[in-house]
Amino acid sequence: MSNFNLKDYNTQDTIAAIATFVDRSALGVIKISGRKSIDIVHEIFKPCRKKNIKKAKTYTLHYGWVVDRQEGKGKRVKARKYPQSPTPKSQILNPKPYTLVDEVLVSIMRKPRTYTREDVVEISSHGGVTAVNKILEIILQKGARLALPGEFTYRALLNKRIDLIQAESISGIVEAKTFQSLSLALNQLNGQASDFIKKLKEEIKDLFMQTEAWINFPEEDLGAPLKDFINSLKKTSRSALDLLKGVKEAGMIRQGLKCVICGKTNVGKSTLFNRLLKEERVIVSKAAGTTRDVVEDIINIRGVPLRIYDTAGILEPSDFITRKAVEKTSEIFDKADLAVLLLDGSRKPNDDDLFLLRKINSKNAIIAINKIDLAQKLDLKSIFKGKASVVRMSALKNIGLADLEKAIYNNVYKVKLNKENLIFLSNYQVKVLEDISQDLEKAVDLIKKGYTIDYINIILKECLNSLGKLTGEVLSQEVLESIFSNFCIGK
């Protein structure tokens, strides 16, 4: 996480950054944005056909070489150092002493139809650390500044190409772990989520204007209209709650649901963990207590990223390491969104089983009865009266895994999702939306208690201002910091 500081984001500067991962790779991309972008590229780029890059049309691609004119200054350069080109040496634009840096493609994009609504140039070079960093170094020498984290997107926001909800979706696209997560982020970037918030804002605005009319014309009878107003206020309050629910569910899709696999020792937790991952991630042994720490990984269950934890079994700690493992298991269990309790169907339940059955009563849980390929001795109905889903399986024989995955998916989505309500928001934005929801509920309660319409007017006005912070109509440093502190350099 970076330190976002508004005063460092000088929008008058021309900024540049490496937009791809700097490592051994086929391609590297350097992005430049600002009023000097094309001038800088004109100085460092030698096209292989005679042309003036300053006059290049928008959305055009140009082949040539990035050159460093500072090195070798004043020395004669032999013809063989020029790039191979069907164009005669005499026709190459501005022949001067220089050193070749890399063979590149240059994309010219002129404002306002660009990502930042400024002049933008992208240089595609060969990948690797040296070439890409050298090109960036030359660009910075010519007057650009190294972009700060999220600064390209920040300029897109300031120039009103996107709103804050769409800015958050860009982070969602970069962090997407499944296609479903990517699809939601793309829908949000396309403006669907913003439209939903705008609809909520219009509802609140209509209510606010109604209170304004009543305040300005106090002689009006508030009897029947007030009853309708209360109903509309309740409806708007439910809309805000639905939106919050969508934010929570979108967070699950984006970050992954925390799912803990728990059970007594030697019940098959590590075998199940490996089956779900489809690889040997954890050592499996018949010896009890093989897992001595919490093992974590991410799997994809029908488009839902599941952050699964294989935990140490519940047993009397016999040494310091085991005791710490059991303590960590308890901590993970308490924070988990979903618990999969594994029971051994071939054995009668012991105290550990009964303890965990009581513990999952307070959680969203699935009971997986393992080892159904063996003679069964477990009667679940006699020891458990809860409402958890029950799946019968054999992790060793790979039986019933599809049923378990289906049960996990159904537990994530116990009700059908309204995809229009799924929105990625930062923690601070979520807090703003929670405050709006609470204020709307408070307004309904105050009317019932006989408070004057002036109080309701003030509450609704605050709700409108808060919604402006969500979309970026009202720029709030707290909201901006909460979003752009998570962006990488070059985005």
Side-chain angles (χ1 to χ4, degrees), residues 302-346:
R302 301 187 180 189
V304 179
L306 199 68
R307 193 177 294 274
I308 56 174
Y309 300 84
D310 180 23
T311 60
I314 303 295
L315 69 163
E316 281 296 322
S318 56
D319 56 68
F320 176 79
I321 295 176
T322 304
R323 186 167 63 252
K324 286 295 180 182
V326 173
E327 288 175 2
K328 196 168 183 179
T329 293
S330 299
E331 182 182 343
I332 293 294
F333 184 91
D334 291 337
K335 294 180 179 180
D337 301 302
L338 174 66
V340 175
L341 171 57
L342 210 57
L343 300 177
D344 187 344
S346 67

Side-chain angles (χ1 to χ4, degrees), residues 387-405:
K387 297 180 180 180
S389 303
V390 179
V391 175
R392 297 182 180 274
M393 59 175 291
S394 171
L396 184 64
K397 300 292 184 180
N398 201 14
I399 300 171
L401 264 294
D403 293 334
L404 177 60
E405 290 185 356

